[in-house]
Amino acid sequence: MTEPIVIGLLHPGEMGAALGRCLIGRGHQVLWASADRSGQTAGRALASGLSDVGTVAAVAGRAEIIFSVCPPHAAIDVARSVAGFGGIYIDANAISPQTASQVAEIVTGVGARYVDGGIIGPPPEVTGSTRLYLSGAAAAQVRGLFAGSALEARIAGEGRWSASAVKMAYAAWTKGSAALLLAARELAEAEGVGDMLTAEWELSQPGLGVSHAAASGRRQPRDGAGLRR
Amino acid sequence: MNQIAASMAAAGLPDGFHLAAAEMFVRFPRPVPDSRE
């Protein structure tokens, strides 16, 4: 195990908070910034054992390593918010290699080292559920932080943006196939044959209805609903 | 989805499928985000 260090987490959503718990479980102190965050986020951070230092500037001033775990559209702004940070900055967001290169340019421009990251799986609670792919010169150092935790850290490859590339390629299938199922279902509903499509899926594409239900958040119709012979 | 589409375009691949997928999720938002994605 690596020596305990001070780590910043921007920001503790469900995934970020779970990542923070993995680090705390390995003996590290994890800081977060409550300024401009919601009460829900504050509650999540408190429950996870994260230490509130108020502002992002305070996190950047005290942490040796900062993880950015936020919605993809916020990745650039979060990177800009750590001006003056001189440690290792890991962007673990679902962003393209091109956006990752922009984030890297921002943080290295102020003196930080950049590590590319991509998370695949649910918020890590149990071993084996979730991987953090890493790439970049300091990737191995970051991987060591999670040794023995529920989050499995892996080196994605030699390329600087390999971690984001793995994440994008993976999500291209999971989200793309979910959208295609959704589109097929909505077409059937628009034409008044939703139940017939469900019945046909049950006959010829076992499991597709379950996949659609997961993709859309809808309940599955009863078995055989709408089946007319 | 837009980040995926941008990745496709940058790799010289068609980005239209994932742009359309993004539009599907805007029109038919899922009640609970799937964190596996």
Side-chain angles (χ1 to χ4, degrees):
Chain A
M1 176 183 165
T2 58
E3 290 297 313
I5 61 171
V6 178
I7 298 169
L9 179 64
L10 304 173
H11 294 280
E14 286 187 27
M15 182 64 80
L19 185 148
R21 289 194 294 274
C22 289
L23 293 167
I24 290 169
R26 302 308 298 162
H28 305 294
Q29 183 183 16
V30 180
L31 312 180
W32 78 291
S34 60
D36 301 323
R37 312 317 304 180
S38 70
Q40 186 178 25
T41 299
R44 191 183 296 119
L46 180 65
S48 298
L50 277 57
S51 303
D52 181 16
V53 292
T55 64
V56 172
V59 171
R62 292 179 55 181
E64 298 175 47
I65 291 177
I66 288 178
F67 282 88
S68 170
V69 185
C70 67
H73 63 80
I76 296 287
D77 286 341
V78 170
R80 287 183 177 134
S81 74
V82 299
F85 176 64
I88 297 175
Y89 184 94
I90 304 106
D91 186 306
N93 302 305
I95 57 175
S96 69
Q98 293 69 42
T99 302
S101 72
Q102 292 177 350
V103 170
E105 186 175 348
I106 291 167
V107 299
T108 58
V110 298
R113 288 190 288 163
Y114 179 81
V115 170
D116 193 36
I119 301 171
I120 294 179
E125 303 292 349
V126 295
T127 301
S129 69
T130 308
R131 272 79 47 208
L132 168 62
Y133 287 90
L134 299 163
S135 57
Q141 184 178 342
V142 176
R143 179 179 60 178
L145 298 173
F146 295 96
S149 79
L151 180 59
E152 180 187 352
R154 293 182 171 184
I155 304 299
E158 298 296 323
R160 290 188 71 189
W161 328 117
S162 293
S164 286
V166 169
K167 172 66 181 180
M168 289 295 97
Y170 181 88
W173 162 251
T174 55
K175 298 193 79 170
S177 59
L180 190 54
L181 273 175
L182 191 57
R185 182 73 195 183
E186 292 301 330
L187 169 61
E189 292 290 346
E191 295 291 346
V193 295
D195 288 347
M196 291 304 296
L197 178 65
T198 298
E200 180 56 39
W201 276 351
E202 288 171 359
L203 289 171
S204 61
Q205 304 285 335
L208 209 53
V210 174
S211 297
H212 170 264
S216 65
R218 292 177 178 174
R219 288 187 306 167
Q220 269 194 282
R222 289 172 299 170
D223 288 347
L227 183 60
R228 299 179 183 89
R229 297 179 190 274
Chain B
M1 294 306 301
N2 291 321
Q3 291 289 319
I4 298 170
S7 302
M8 293 287 182
L13 297 165
D15 61 0
F17 180 85
H18 289 91
L19 289 174
E23 187 176 343
M24 284 302 300
F25 289 132
V26 170
R27 290 196 192 185
F28 305 99
R30 293 168 292 179
V32 180
D34 185 352
S35 58
R36 289 178 181 272
E37 295 164 357

